[in-house]
Amino acid sequence: PASRAATEHLLTYTMTGLSNGHVSKRKAGDIAFDEVDGYSAAQLFGQGVCYTYDDVIFHPGFINFPATDVDLTTKLTRNISIRTPIVSSPMDTVTESDMAIAMASVGGAGFLHYNMTQDEQVAHLKAVKAHRLGYVTRTEVRGPDATLAECDALATSRGFTSVVVTDTGIIGGKLLGLVSSRDGDLVMDRSAKLKDVMTKAADLVTGKASDAIEKLEDALLASKKGKLPVVNDKGELVGLMTRASIKMKKLLPPPGAPSLDKKGRLLCGAAIGTRPADKDRAKALVAEGLDMVILDSSQGDSVYQIEMIKWLKDNLPELDVIGGNVVTQVQAKRLIEAGADGLRVGMGSGSICTTQEVCAVGRGQATAVYKCANLAAQFGVPIIADGGIQNSGHITKALTLGASVAMCGSMFAGTTEAPGEYFYDNGVRVKKYRGMGSLDAMAKGSDTRYLSESGHLKVAQGVSGTVKDKGPVMKMVPYLTHGVKQGFQDMGAKSMEHATELRNEGSMRMETRTGAAQKEGGVHDMHSYKKVAW
């Protein structure tokens, strides 16, 4: 057995020889070993080669804590913190009010896309801010003169078989009644008005808006009914609870604490452009409680964005502004000096983005995140890793390389909460998903983010397609988060701050992988298999 002195010598950690990338070797007793293996982040990303997430693999660290103890609380902007370091991308096939509500409910945040009118974007923000956890996310409400034919169309598009009837046709109107399938399925005249077939409010079991969610759930279950309209003291509709939503809640993982603003409402962000009209859009959004705004551009290092950041900070100082997209430290520095409270990092790394192919600009996402994070950290500005995220391992890599938050687009496309309706393609249930640089999205107005609105010719920097049904984000995000916690545990990092310390001091070791190593790191040599993420 080795002596105590030899053992201590064996366990001594040294950085000798790291300055030139050589591995330091030690010999203690009869044991020869690499005292420091792999490379530090500074060495790996200082070689003039840009890397993607799959190119890089981290070495395991020492584990002395359970994965459940890992704290992923992080800064989304200078002034806003969230519990879950995952946000949804402001793409028109990813984030509208349903997605923003779901993301805030699980401790993250969503950014409303702006490929829509100002009034539509404001309406989505209002829906997020008005939502109360436990209620149906998007209650279908109609006026008394709506017809059964409208209910039929709703059943086809969303699968809903019931609508609430108010005097105004929207939430906030006086509750008049409820139309379910039992009220109208045997009525042959589909032009019949809802007021003639509905179950009137006096005959409904209703809940009080002042009651706790748990009490409302108990009342619904005790009633043996399928729906519970919730009203205020004036009899105005506040929300709807359903038996199906309670059953779904019991099947989903615990969501944890939600992301809330200072008034206790769900946190919500939105994207805008840099046109003069976007100043009015920003004012309208802030008036409804917007918490943070993204200046949406594929290439954010422009005089237009710098001027908009300065205008927003001068005229709407309570609003946190996220600039981008950037991939170099020079770009990041300019936007930070203009006043940005956060940065979005990534260019051409998204699954539907062709910017690097078409325009020959961009950067490998792992390198972009590491370089920009190093610069931004000196100013206390968080960065969002935007693009290239395909699994929990990529999120782990983004966060440990310096990102405060990972932004997901394709990961959340095709989920229940994503915009659009499901349809079948060759027997597979799918939703549409497109890049904001695709010609389809540009035709709707997204060409402004590519600084091409005045051009007569439009060149696509993205594609359109479909993605499989992925189920609810409310289920996906808790599993993704726990996967990230397990990754942090394997690296020996107890928190975001701890991971930063390990990376900066050089004790977080990593290497690049060959194509064969990447293949070996995935599923291989199987005749058939079914890959189930959770």
Side-chain angles (χ1 to χ4, degrees):
S3 66
R4 178 175 179 179
T7 301
E8 290 177 348
H9 183 63
L10 174 66
L11 296 176
T12 299
Y13 189 92
T14 180
M15 300 296 287
T16 305
L18 292 183
S19 59
N20 58 8
H22 295 160
V23 176
S24 175
K25 292 185 179 291
R26 289 276 188 174
K27 188 169 183 179
D30 296 324
I31 302 173
F33 67 102
D34 291 338
E35 193 171 43
V36 179
D37 204 355
Y39 297 88
S40 68
Q43 293 170 321
L44 190 68
F45 293 105
Q47 303 176 44
V49 179
C50 69
Y51 298 114
T52 66
Y53 294 132
D54 282 338
D55 290 327
V56 180
I57 193 71
F58 289 77
H59 289 190
F62 178 68
I63 299 175
N64 59 356
F65 56 90
T68 51
D69 285 357
V70 174
D71 182 10
L72 295 179
T73 301
T74 188
K75 285 280 191 180
L76 177 54
T77 67
R78 289 183 199 263
N79 305 303
I80 298 174
S81 296
I82 53 177
R83 179 180 59 82
T84 302
I86 304 173
V87 298
S88 63
S89 177
M91 302 172 70
D92 62 5
T93 49
V94 177
T95 308
E96 290 182 353
S97 52
D98 287 4
M99 180 66 75
I101 288 171
M103 290 303 301
S105 298
V106 294
F111 288 86
L112 302 171
H113 74 86
Y114 82 110
N115 209 18
M116 52 183 156
T117 67
Q118 176 179 311
D119 289 343
E120 288 172 335
Q121 194 176 28
V122 169
H124 281 293
L125 176 61
K126 285 182 176 179
V128 177
K129 291 299 181 179
H131 182 73
R132 185 176 176 186
L133 294 176
Y135 290 1
V136 172
T137 300
R138 189 160 31 119
T139 304
E140 289 295 343
V141 186
R142 296 292 185 273
D145 293 325
T147 65
L148 285 174
E150 293 180 44
C151 293
D152 294 339
L154 180 63
T156 302
S157 63
R158 291 195 64 197
F160 279 26
T161 57
S162 302
V163 297
V164 185
V165 183
T166 68
D167 60 348
T168 60
I170 60 175
I171 288 182
K174 186 174 180 61
L175 177 65
L176 299 180
L178 178 75
V179 177
S180 69
S181 58
R182 276 174 262 185
D183 293 308
D185 58 357
L186 296 179
V187 178
M188 300 305 294
D189 180 10
R190 306 314 287 177
S191 65
K193 295 183 177 181
L194 300 189
K195 64 183 179 183
D196 297 326
V197 299
M198 69 184 183
T199 300
K200 292 184 168 47
D203 299 321
L204 295 173
V205 177
T206 59
K208 296 180 180 179
S210 57
D211 289 343
I213 292 296
E214 293 75 17
K215 185 174 180 179
L216 293 172
E217 289 178 350
D218 291 342
L220 175 56
L221 296 176
S223 72
K224 306 293 179 70
K225 302 291 185 181
K227 309 288 187 294
L228 182 75
V230 182
V231 297
N232 59 21
D233 294 337
K234 298 179 181 179
E236 297 167 336
L237 181 68
V238 174
L240 179 72
M241 299 189 70
T242 68
R243 199 173 190 85
S245 63
I246 295 176
K247 290 169 64 177
M248 178 60 72
K249 179 180 176 181
K250 294 182 182 299
L251 294 174
L252 294 175
S259 300
L260 304 175
D261 63 17
K262 295 177 181 178
K263 295 182 179 180
R265 302 172 299 180
L266 292 179
L267 198 71
C268 187
I272 64 172
T274 57
R275 301 165 298 178
D278 288 309
K279 296 177 181 179
D280 293 331
R281 185 183 288 247
K283 290 178 181 177
L285 291 167
V286 170
E288 297 299 333
L290 185 69
D291 299 293
M292 56 270 179
V293 68
I294 277 179
L295 297 184
D296 196 20
S297 174
S298 64
Q299 213 287 52
D301 187 21
S302 69
V303 64
Y304 314 109
Q305 186 158 144
I306 290 173
E307 289 174 354
M308 180 61 91
I309 292 173
K310 291 179 178 178
W311 185 91
L312 288 169
K313 298 310 295 182
D314 288 340
N315 294 273
L316 301 169
E318 70 276 23
L319 180 67
D320 275 19
V321 181
I322 300 170
N325 282 31
V326 298
V327 292
T328 71
Q329 293 187 342
V330 173
Q331 290 180 299
K333 186 172 182 290
R334 265 194 283 266
L335 297 188
I336 292 173
E337 290 176 341
D341 301 297
L343 292 176
R344 195 155 61 133
V345 174
M347 191 173 186
S349 55
S351 65
I352 39 65
C353 186
T354 59
T355 298
Q356 294 186 18
E357 175 185 333
V358 172
C359 300
V361 292
R363 199 173 200 180
Q365 187 66 349
T367 300
V369 167
Y370 174 73
K371 292 291 188 178
C372 291
N374 273 356
L375 184 282
Q378 300 175 53
F379 294 87
V381 173
I383 73 161
I384 299 172
D386 174 28
I389 301 291
Q390 300 173 21
N391 49 54
S392 61
H394 288 168
I395 298 175
T396 303
K397 290 176 182 180
L399 299 179
T400 50
L401 288 174
S404 295
V405 174
M407 176 171 279
C408 298
S410 63
M411 281 283 290
F412 295 155
T415 58
T416 306
E417 297 86 352
E421 307 301 337
Y422 287 110
F423 62 97
Y424 285 88
D425 184 9
N426 293 323
V428 179
R429 195 168 188 248
V430 298
K431 271 188 180 182
K432 289 183 178 179
Y433 177 51
R434 65 189 185 193
M436 297 303 285
S438 66
L439 292 179
D440 288 348
M442 283 187 175
K444 197 175 177 183
S446 72
D447 51 353
T448 57
R449 80 188 298 270
Y450 294 88
L451 306 178
S452 64
E453 60 181 326
S454 61
H456 295 292
L457 301 177
K458 298 185 188 299
V459 179
Q461 294 185 41
V463 299
S464 300
T466 60
V467 288
K468 288 183 179 180
D469 176 8
K470 298 175 184 174
V473 160
M474 295 286 289
K475 179 179 181 180
M476 179 189 293
V477 172
Y479 281 103
L480 282 175
T481 304
H482 193 69
V484 174
K485 288 186 174 184
Q486 289 181 328
F488 269 59
Q489 180 195 36
D490 283 345
M491 292 184 199
K494 299 178 181 178
S495 65
M496 299 283 284
E497 292 78 10
H498 190 203
T500 299
E501 292 175 10
L502 294 176
R503 184 182 69 254
N504 290 342
E505 72 185 18
S507 55
M508 179 181 287
R509 312 300 292 175
M510 59 195 77
E511 291 172 330
T512 56
R513 296 191 292 177
T514 63
Q518 292 182 37
K519 182 178 179 181
E520 183 182 66
V523 179
H524 58 89
D525 297 327
M526 294 286 290
H527 170 64
S528 65
Y529 70 94
K530 183 178 181 181
K531 192 172 184 179
V532 180
W534 41 74

